[in-house]
Amino acid sequence: MNKVLPSLLASDFTRLGEEIEKMETAGADIFHLDIMDGQFVPNISYGLPVVQAIAEKTTIPLDVHLMTHQPEQFIAGFAEMGVEMVSFHVEATAHPHRVMQLIHNQGMKAGIALNPHTPISNIKHLLSEIDFVLIMTVNPGYGGQTFINACVDKIEELSEMRKQSGYVFEIEVDGGINNETAEICRNAGASLFVSGSHLFKSDDWKRAVDALKG
Ligand code: DX5
Ligand code: ZN
């Protein structure tokens, strides 16, 4: 089933509580939280105290997208807050399998994120155990960028591997997702749609969420 994950990076931080409520009423399935460290990506977003506040406020699950080096240092903290999904970048650690195990040991769903240039072959041996693969369709670090079409091939490749293997991971897409690019990704096999600027700038959030679900 297709799910829509608003990225709170695009929300009005001065009215975060109200925007969370409004997006929930609009039918959002899961909130996507972007954690940046100013090292792995050239930007800093927000950290654990803000995630804690969001976790206390929201009634829907949270998906934490770690754009940080040493992702393992934050995992236990997110588990304590009740976060359901955590993804980390394969480019950010020498031991992706161990990080995946840490996330699982804390009772959360584990996702592996890939920058636009990273081939699917890099994560082939995680696919039997991973819960979802996050295909970045922009370079991580900023909202509001343009979708990179070359990433669609990777969604198709992953989808084909899933069919051949019988594995059950989901495919999440993140970056430049709007009605048009969501449809392209949906047709290629994605089912989790992260959207920041497109969704938050829409006049009618409910209609925008419904449209992304397809
Ligand atoms: C980018 C983040 C995204 C970002 C998406 O590094 O991972 O989640 O918020 O924003 P849009 O939808 O505006 O491209
Ligand atoms: Zn993200």
Side-chain angles (χ1 to χ4, degrees):
M1 203 182 77
N2 295 331
K3 290 186 175 145
V4 173
L5 298 82
S7 168
L8 291 178
L9 192 63
S11 66
D12 177 350
F13 288 141
T14 65
R15 300 171 54 238
L16 186 54
E18 287 165 49
E19 302 233 326
I20 286 172
E21 273 179 28
K22 198 175 145 197
M23 210 39 107
E24 288 175 357
T25 306
D29 297 289
I30 298 167
F31 281 120
H32 180 85
L33 308 183
D34 291 296
I35 310 298
M36 304 176 186
D37 65 354
Q39 296 291 323
F40 178 67
V41 289
N43 195 10
I44 295 175
S45 53
Y46 50 82
L48 277 78
V50 175
V51 178
Q52 173 79 57
I54 295 167
E56 285 168 15
K57 172 79 186 163
T58 189
T59 58
I60 63 173
L62 298 180
D63 169 38
V64 168
H65 175 194
L66 289 175
M67 285 163 275
T68 69
H69 287 300
Q70 298 180 305
E72 57 278 359
Q73 66 189 315
F74 305 114
I75 289 166
F78 291 126
E80 278 167 31
M81 295 175 199
V83 167
E84 298 219 347
M85 302 161 68
V86 175
S87 65
F88 62 98
H89 275 260
V90 69
E91 305 89 359
T93 172
H95 302 287
H97 190 275
R98 181 178 294 152
V99 177
M100 176 184 70
Q101 285 179 317
L102 278 171
I103 297 171
H104 282 157
N105 290 344
Q106 294 286 342
M108 300 181 288
K109 287 187 184 165
I112 186 82
L114 269 65
N115 281 338
H117 78 285
T118 304
I120 299 295
S121 55
N122 265 23
I123 58 158
K124 185 177 171 197
H125 301 287
L126 294 177
L127 294 178
S128 61
E129 293 174 74
I130 205 81
D131 298 293
F132 62 105
V133 178
L134 198 182
I135 298 290
M136 287 304 302
T137 43
V138 297
N139 287 299
Y142 301 95
Q145 302 179 84
T146 305
F147 183 85
I148 300 172
N149 280 302
C151 300
V152 177
D153 281 356
K154 295 202 293 181
I155 305 170
E156 286 168 351
E157 187 184 341
L158 204 45
S159 197
E160 186 56 33
M161 285 167 85
R162 181 170 57 186
K163 211 191 291 174
Q164 298 297 332
S165 63
Y167 299 150
V168 292
F169 59 83
E170 288 196 84
I171 302 173
E172 178 173 8
V173 286
D174 183 9
I177 298 297
N178 54 35
N179 292 350
E180 188 193 339
T181 55
E183 188 180 0
I184 293 168
C185 295
R186 216 166 26 242
N187 292 339
S191 59
L192 301 173
F193 301 88
V194 176
S195 181
S197 41
H198 162 73
L199 214 45
F200 281 88
K201 279 186 191 156
S202 301
D203 296 334
D204 183 338
W205 286 5
K206 179 162 175 24
R207 210 165 49 186
V209 168
D210 286 346
L212 286 181
K213 283 189 197 180

